[in-house]
Amino acid sequence: GRPIAPDANGTLRVSVAHVQGYAPRDGMAYTPFTRLGGALDKHTGIEPFVLPEALIAAAKDPGRRWREPSLDDVPLNFLADGDASGGNSGSPVVNGRGELVGVNFDRVWENVAGDFGFRPEVSRNISVDVRFMLWMLDRVEGADALLDELGVSGER
């Protein structure tokens, strides 16, 4: 009996999307995935490019369990052509089998105004990849009990 809010806060939303990159301008192309190696490449030790020492140490031997074979690296984030809206941050991202694959947290710059004009060629939401989250729990935090509770065992 109440009006529904125009954003995703407090509403159930389901979107269908495909993981894919995009090219917003001439000479500029974004791949579907960012990766652990890319984060290390950007680390300067000066804000905003500062990585925690524990992450840097763990990345020296990242293991194979959480790697994406096509990247030969641990994926950090991915782009998808979903129609995200204000309030979608923190929403689970599931694959076609209903498995958690990520957590939505932002939109790309070119889609900031997407609520007012959807443009499929640049509409991309950004999600943290679940394999990076699991890698962090396993290799950086040593959270074996939590991994066991989640039903995934770390590299022991």
Side-chain angles (χ1 to χ4, degrees):
R2 299 183 341 228
I4 296 175
D7 63 20
N9 291 316
T11 63
L12 176 62
R13 294 175 57 97
V14 177
S15 297
V16 175
H18 302 91
V19 174
Q20 64 179 355
Y22 74 114
R25 289 180 277 300
D26 182 45
M28 183 178 284
Y30 295 105
T31 59
F33 290 93
T34 59
R35 49 187 189 78
L36 179 59
L40 293 169
D41 291 344
K42 293 174 188 77
H43 172 73
T44 62
I46 302 168
E47 288 292 342
F49 302 106
V50 179
L51 294 174
E53 289 301 321
L55 185 147
I56 294 168
K60 290 178 181 169
D61 180 19
R64 303 222 46 91
R65 170 90 192 267
W66 311 113
R67 285 179 178 252
E68 164 55 43
S70 67
L71 300 173
D72 193 30
D73 204 346
V74 178
L76 266 69
N77 302 309
F78 61 88
L79 298 173
D81 63 355
D83 185 14
S85 181
N88 279 136
S89 294
S91 296
V93 179
V94 296
N95 66 14
R97 294 183 295 276
E99 300 164 328
L100 179 70
V101 295
V103 177
N104 180 70
F105 69 87
D106 207 350
R107 292 184 259 187
V108 298
W109 176 250
E110 293 81 9
N111 191 40
V112 170
D115 289 348
F116 304 102
F118 182 72
R119 295 176 44 216
E121 67 277 5
V122 295
S123 177
R124 300 292 183 275
N125 57 306
I126 310 168
S127 299
V128 63
D129 196 292
V130 73
R131 292 167 290 188
F132 178 64
M133 293 187 289
L134 293 170
W135 179 83
M136 289 285 294
L137 290 171
D138 181 23
R139 305 296 288 214
V140 178
E141 298 299 328
D144 295 339
L146 183 53
L147 289 167
D148 288 343
E149 188 175 331
L150 291 170
V152 293
S153 296
E155 295 176 336
R156 298 189 175 121

